[in-house]
Amino acid sequence: MTTIPMETGLLLAGVLFMLGLISVMIRRNIIFMLISVEIMLNAAGLAFIVAGSHWAQPDGQIMFIFILTMAAAEVSVGLALILQIHHQLKTLNSDAANFMRG
Amino acid sequence: MILVWLIVILMVGGVLAWISGKVNRALSRWVALGSVLAVFGLTLYLWLSNPVPVLGSAWLIQFTQPWIPQWGISFSLAIDGLSLLMLLLTFFIGLLAVLISWREIQTKVAFFHFNLLWVLAGITGVFLTMDLFLFYFFWEVMLIPMYFLIGIWGHENRRYAAFKFFIFTQASGLLMLLAILGLYFIHGNQTGVYTFSYFELLNTTLAPEAARLLMFGFLAAFLVKLPVVPFHSWLPDAHSEAPTAGSVILAGLLLKTGAYGLLRFVLPLFPTATVEFAPWAMLLGVIGIIYGAILAFSQTDLKRLVAYTSVSHMGFVILGVFAFNEWALQGVVMQMITHGLSTGALFIIAGFLYERLHTRDIRQMGGFWSTAPKMGVIALIFVMASLGLPGLGNFIAEFLTLVGSWQANNWLTVFATIGLVMATIYSLRIMQKIFFEANHMEQALPDLNAREMLIAIPMVAMILWLGLYPQSVLDTARPSIQEQLQAYTETPLEHEHVAEVAAPETETSVVNDVEWKPSSNFQISTSPNPSTSKASTPLIIKSSN
Amino acid sequence: MELTFYIAAAVAVLATIMVITRYNMIHALLYLVVSFLAVAVVFLTMGAPFMAALEVIVYAGAIVVLIIFVIMMLSLTREDVEQEKAWLQPKLWMGPALLSFVLLAELVYLLVIAEMPAAPAVAGSYVDARAVGLALYGPYVLGVQLSGILLMAGIVGAYHLGRQKKKVIHRFLQEKEPQKERSAAI
Amino acid sequence: MTLTDFQHLMPLLILTFAVLVSMLVIAVGRNHKIMYVITAVSFLAAFASLFELRDVGRYTIEPLLVVDGFGVFYIGMMLLAALLISMLSYAYFEQREERKEEYYMLLLLATIGACVLVISKHFASLFLGIEILSVSLYALIAYLRTRERSNEAGIKYLILAAFSSAFLLFGMALVYASTGTMEFAGIAAAIANFTELPLLLLTGFGLMIVGIGFKLSVVPFHMWAPDVYEGAPAPVTAFIATVSKGGVLGVLIRFFMEVDGFRYPTLVLIFTIVAIASMLAGNLLALLQRNVKRILAYSSIAHLGYLLVAFLAGNQMGVEAVTFYLVAYFITTVGAFGVVAMLSDKERDAEQLEDYRALLWRRPWTAAVFTAMLLSLAGIPLTAGFVGKFYILAAGVNTQLWLLVVMLALNSVIGLFYYIRIVAVMFQQPEAEAEIQPRGRLRPSIYVASVGTLTVLALLLVYIGVYPSGLLQIIQGLLVTSTAP
Amino acid sequence: MEELLWLIPALPFAGALLLVLLGNRISRALVSAIGVGSVGISAAITLVLGIEYLTSRPSFIRQEVWQWFDVAGFSPSIAFHLDALSMVFIFVITFVGFLIHIYSTEYMAEDKDYARFFACMNLFVGSMLMLVMADNLLLLYLGWEGVGLCSYLLIGFWYKEPANGYAARKAFIITRVGDTAIAIGLFMLFQQFGTLHIQSISTEAVQVWTIGNETAVIIAFLLLGGAVGKSGQLPLQTWLPDAMAGPTPVSALIHAATMVTAGVYLIARMHVVFELAPAAMMAVAVIGAITLLIAGFAALTQYDIKRVLAYSTISQVGYMFLALGVGAWSAGVFHFMIHGFFKALLFLCAGAIILALHHEQDMRKMGGLSKKLPVVFYTFLIGAASLAAFPLVSAGFYSKDQILWLQLAGENGNIWLYLAGLLGAFITSIYTFRMVFLTFYGEEKTHVGHKPTWAITVPLIVLAVLSFAGGFIELPHNFGHVVLFSDFLAPILPAVSIVPDFTQYEWMLQLLAAVISLGGIFIAYLFYYKKPELIDSIHRSEFAMAVHRFWHSGWGFDQLYDALFVRPYVYLSKVNKSDFIDSFYTFLADATQGLHDLFSRSQTGIMRNYVAGIVVGAIMILTISLLL
């Protein structure tokens, strides 16, 4: 039904992916980093949908569901951890968590 | 089976010595002494019962048991004259090592003897094994205990020395492993039989390029172990920092594994590549002789000095090995044995001195002859041995090596011979600084006690025996040397320098009847290779029979 | 349809850019919701209506809300926004942005020059919820079970890590995922 | 899902069941010992159930999983490793007042994830396996919440793992877009006719490598490893170093063998660079490091590099070599971290080099075991590590990967330095009497399991080092059924 | 009796061994008994064997003790070979050695290391016997090196003094340089003949080589190198004057009976090879000539009595080389024997003087000893006369005259060599009698302590008799024509071929030699006894003093070698003491550590950097994908 070429969809996914990537790299706030990773995961999911729609298969959508699941689990654990860190360090600065190095 | 026992006794003895140390410190010494005596006795028995190996095959005993059949690896041991001699040396030196540690080692005695025996076991394995995988296995096995010997019981700078020793030998060993693997696969691809068996791999035909690379792999390990000059720098540190027993084993045995490897593996496996490489190898040998001698001269640390003499002496080994004739190889074998004894003895003397003075700095020594004449005499004998005085074993070794290498390369031999002068220079310095001149030390130096004499006297006896009647050793080594040289009997190199043999009108001619087998590398030939440009005149052979 | 796609795509990209440039976290999250909604529209244009719904429910709903809860719990203040501003100095993000740009350029270039495989003969790429459901509980049923296990791991982990003096968070974390039952189904 | 499907997934079922039982047990009442026993028994049972699958041949559960000799062996290996790790965990967690019970659940879950990985033949199961593993690990790493470094390690691992997962997913999506299938076999069939990979697919593979490489902690995706190793509890570190990496490596091998990725010079080049960089960077980073856990982290980076050498050999022998080396590496790593765990006290892990000074004099047997482990890592004979390294070199030489092989040899030498350095520290003479006294510890009975495990590991190490034939037979027997397409 | 041959070298060895083992635990008397006795019995056996040999006249006696070793046809034996040549040498070695041993019992009586001294002396005699009796060159080499060792031990006998140690090492090392040449010569000989058996080589050589064969020349030169080293000839003569550091009996032994004559023996023994190498022969003669002059001039300026004697030895051995160089083999050997007698005598006398003067060796502090030490004086005078070739009555006259004459009469002779010899003779008599006058005449400058007893005087007298009468066994044609000695050697050493029609001038040459000798003595008398102020006037001249210093230092050879070899060697060694090759490995290690630091810096602990790391990796991978 759609006439959108696959590369356009993939391009969109790629751009979103890269935006997430930039964000992970420039943000110091751990929550922002988590959010950025979610953007990236979402972009990957989009890529799957695009590919699935191109091949007219449900597989891409199923992968998206799995990604969704994973993102949720990820975020829950991540937020729990962030709470702990905020509790301990009183900051969300990821750079502050650099006790281990070398 | 007796061969397996040799290794097993040592390994089990080592463990027992460790365990028995929990009971009593002295007990582990006795256990160690007992095990080494046992294997020494066994080997001696072997030697005496088989004085002349069967003609045709150099091998006396063989033992093979599949180990990792998937890779064609077997637990394969075999002994020939060469191995037998090396084992005798190993256990003799091992015995001395136990004895000299009797008083010197006072901490972790049990563990010390464990390591000592395991080093010996590893060395025994190296000398016996006929499977290249197993060879590498033992090659590495002997390093760890040695590392501990240096690293735990050594002198001040022991950790550095132990690291250096370990890393040098490992690095080179890995290259050998690569070469072994290369050989394994080449042989496997050729014949379809994938095996690490030495005897099988001997039949591999190699492309020149491959042969060259593989040979360098093997050479890397052996030359570093030997050591040959640019790769020698681990040796002075390791030797000087090790405890006496460690130095003795290092100098007496570990270096010999390199020489043994050259003889056993490099020569027969890569006949053409070695012939190509021979002039360079001999050059390295000569450089080693001279370089080691020069450096030995200026050392002030006694053990370091002796260590550099080892570098120099081992130069003769590589010089001889790459001369590819029986004289040189017999010289090499003799050199291995006599150097083990003489340098070992010098290290033992250094150990005696260190025990008494707690220094190895020869600048602080002097004039000990007056208080310790026995030590002086013994030191003198071994110093003389180290400079190659005729009548002592080292002379036979060096002379035969040089006679052999002369046939291969005149100029290098000339320079090697000059090394003898340099040997005099550094050797006399040892005597001068320690035993002569005035004594400016406060403390008196007690002379050797009974235990120490028990160590020293057999060594003196051995070195004299080897110098005056080495025939029994030479006879034992001959068949295996001829076997190692088999591949070279047809090479043009041999034709180049065949000498004219005149029949001496003495009894020697009788001996010649027996020994002049066609298999000897010393071939009777009337067609000298026209390519020779040497000063040596073409020869006329008159065989004695 | 195409136009819808392009508009939605543009909105998604713009919203995402806004997300990554906001100093205030709540603002950013609201933009994130916009972005997700736009992506949901894209899904629709791609013929995946079921996924569009899930996107809205789970991403824009559950996940973002969860994050907002946490932010609220951490009671972020005006200073944090200032802090965020300070952290986002151009000199700090120039390097990473450059790296990302290189990567993006490469990816775009690769995607553009890459020849796309021809679409299968079967026309129409509309994959409805039914097809998805059949696949999910047909061949992919093991996957569903595995995602159950995944969620269980997430729950157990979050439970352990999130446990604090304040019981409130505890309860939040425990109740956040309705799929819990499924994990027990295996 | 048929009954036979379930039969073939028996180990996974057992583990899942154990998780549920654990949950119930926790609900009834918390008891460390019971949890510990349940975990150990379930690992054992799962392992035992593998014997039924010995001659499985190749059983596929379409479209996600395939149970074959390769998978069975890897599962067995990882189950054993997990078992040993759980054995070592008891004493470690007993002295900490944290809630200990969830740890075992998470351990079980993570193991399930790793097991799924090695038997997956589809991107979905691959992805789910990885994520089960990762999500469990997030919590495991940060498990000791009161320790300041564990949160740091946890969040680092979480963000970075999710980040790399995104790459993995995007790569998968591109591959899927390019081939229209997510099954390994399907992809293989789709690209079989290409002599050169289409760019889209290549990009997909490349991005997947990022994700996989992160999990394997190969250079340049390695930076998390030392921090996470340091921050995580010692048994968890052991788990990350062994099971987690083993699972990922397993699926990587399966995928590559299936699609025959060795035909494509681009991929080979990428892996070659990664392998060399890993070996070099790992060893160089470890060189003067003074934190033992970090040393082991760096060394594991290097070891993954070694493994890639055999992996790149790309034939039957290479796979065998990887597998054999993995076994050796598992034993060694678990043993090494076991020693670390055993020497750790309530406050902190025994991770500074100073903690090991004169260990030989304080605890001779522990020192001996640790020495054996380190020597095995260094590839010294009489240990499994030697045979493993030999195998890898053999595989490399066989395929004539001279550059890699020489780099491996060179790096082994650098590696020697820091392994031996630890040994040297342990063998130093004690400076004062005080050092000879062991630090305050729990009652000895707690350590029975740890001591037993370490003993087993040490014996296994030497056994395989001296007589590798048996293991070899098993590996060859099991692998021969699976890698043949 | 022939079976006893092996005992001749074995006995001194056994004595040495016994003394080493027993050491200082036994009484001095027993030490003397063992030390002197072993050499004495050897001498006795030599005498018996000698008589037997003279009566039965076999070409040679060979006794193999055991086969040393046998490697691929290289099979030297421990075997002894006795023929006329070795007979002469054995005789001199054992008898002179025996006398020196007796002398030592008194000379060394006070020394702490009495046993060690005799052990070394015995070893010395034994090694030298081994050298001259060896039936193959390898065994000869054994003795050859053994002699070097003993010289080292004995020269450095008083080891507390570093200078003595230096001299000892110098002796050993310099002679070892020559030994290296021999060793190479042996390699070549072996390559040529497949054996080192001397007789075989001698018979084979003439068949294989034509005269002037290149190989033969090289070999001859190499052997010459060894001979030069041991015999203290140019250019390896520098060790010999320093060798005076040892106790005087040692000097006597080295200079008279053993060591320095080893070179003469070797050349005589290998005369077949040398005859095939005329260039080498010429070199032998030229070296002899130059050495005898240089050493003579150096001797002129020495003050240390032993150094004068040392230079005189160098000079006299130069005469022997001169003889050998022109093929006058038996003349050379004859001079060796005579020289053995009188040089031993002179040294022992010097020893007696030194002992009497509390170890004073400077002749300027001696004087007027003719009264105090009459026996020493008269025997010294006989020795000096022999050394200075005092016409008719001294043995030295006959032996030296023969050499000089053959320089002209021999076919290989040469007028220049003759003149050099003649000049040498002149100088010899000057410095010899300079010594006599300075020591025994004039006023007494040092108090005489120890008076020699029988153990010193008996050897002196015996040697004096030999130095006086030894010459009469070989008299020139026009002078009784006794040729006992050359006849004795004739089967071994070919006679020199005489230029025909030259014999009638022989008496003229003899007269010239006599005049030269007497003239030398007269000059010495003039300068050192009658008008010592002449010396002072010479000393006032700047140039003369420079020459004096130059000669005194032995023509600056020591300084030359020091600058040329010793110092560069020591510098090279010292500068590289810590082994520059090692620094390469240190560099490797440092570089690795540097890389470690570099890499470690990447582990910042900051997560964003790690993310960046992953991104860089991704970029790398994509770039590779793009480019390939």
Side-chain angles (χ1 to χ4, degrees), chain D residues 286-308:
Chain D
L287 205 62
L288 297 174
Q289 181 56 247
R290 300 202 65 81
N291 184 313
V292 173
K293 278 165 97 178
R294 288 183 87 86
I295 291 179
L296 289 171
Y298 292 133
S299 109
S300 83
I301 295 170
H303 279 275
L304 261 299
Y306 301 162
L307 277 166
L308 286 184

Side-chain angles (χ1 to χ4, degrees), chain B residues 160 164 168 229-233 237 291 293-295 297-300 308 326-327 330 369-370 377 380 384 387-391 395-396 399-400 402-403 406-407 413-414 417-418 420-422 424-425 428-429 431-432 435-438 467-471 474 478 497 499-502 504-508 511-512 515-516 535-537 542, chain E residues 20 25 62 64 66-78 112-113 116 135 138 141-142 145-146 149 152-153 156 159-162 165-166 168-169 172-173 176-177 180 183-184 186-188 190-197 199-200 203-204 207-209 213-215 218 569-570 572-574 576-582 585-586:
Chain B
Y160 170 74
K164 207 167 173 182
F168 264 84
V229 145
F231 316 113
H232 67 287
S233 88
D237 288 306
Y291 191 81
I294 291 178
L295 258 86
F297 174 69
S298 59
Q299 301 305 317
T300 48
Y308 275 110
E326 194 175 336
W327 302 295
Q330 286 281 23
W369 192 295
S370 52
V377 169
L380 178 68
M384 287 306 143
L387 65 78
L389 191 81
F395 168 72
I396 309 277
F399 198 85
L400 279 175
L402 290 170
V403 163
W406 177 265
Q407 321 289 329
T413 310
V414 168
T417 317
I418 289 170
L420 289 178
V421 179
M422 298 181 167
T424 320
I425 296 173
L428 295 185
R429 187 154 176 272
M431 283 311 286
Q432 184 67 22
F435 291 100
F436 297 152
E437 297 193 356
L468 293 175
Y469 188 67
Q471 196 57 41
L474 298 173
R478 174 177 297 126
H497 311 284
E500 170 178 351
V501 179
E505 60 268 46
T506 61
E507 291 91 320
T508 52
V511 180
N512 279 351
E515 296 309 325
W516 274 66
S536 65
T537 42
K542 285 191 286 170
Chain E
V20 168
R25 272 169 291 183
R62 179 176 188 279
E64 174 167 328
W66 73 79
Q67 167 108 53
W68 197 353
F69 58 85
D70 173 16
V71 175
F74 180 27
S75 48
S77 295
I78 307 276
K112 192 162 65 69
D113 285 321
R116 177 161 68 96
D135 102 314
L138 199 66
Y141 192 71
L142 184 148
E145 294 273 310
L149 165 68
Y152 165 71
L153 291 175
Y159 53 81
K160 301 248 152 139
E161 192 59 50
Y166 180 76
R169 278 179 292 158
F172 201 178
I173 291 165
R176 209 123 206 272
V177 172
T180 306
I184 296 168
L186 297 194
F187 305 150
M188 291 187 74
F190 177 73
Q191 192 184 24
Q192 289 297 313
F193 300 105
T195 179
L196 288 180
H197 190 252
Q199 303 303 312
S200 314
T203 45
E204 294 283 326
Q207 297 167 22
V208 178
W209 287 328
N213 180 293
E214 195 187 342
T215 318
I218 294 172
Y569 187 82
V570 172
L572 204 64
S573 182
K574 289 264 149 62
N576 192 23
K577 185 185 169 192
S578 51
D579 201 347
F580 80 96
I581 291 178
D582 197 32
Y585 296 106
T586 317

Side-chain angles (χ1 to χ4, degrees), chain D residues 70 73-74 77 318-328 475 479:
Chain D
F70 179 84
F73 187 87
Y74 272 71
M77 193 164 76
V319 176
E320 282 169 29
V322 171
T323 312
F324 192 99
Y325 194 85
L326 260 187
V327 174
I475 291 178
L479 259 50

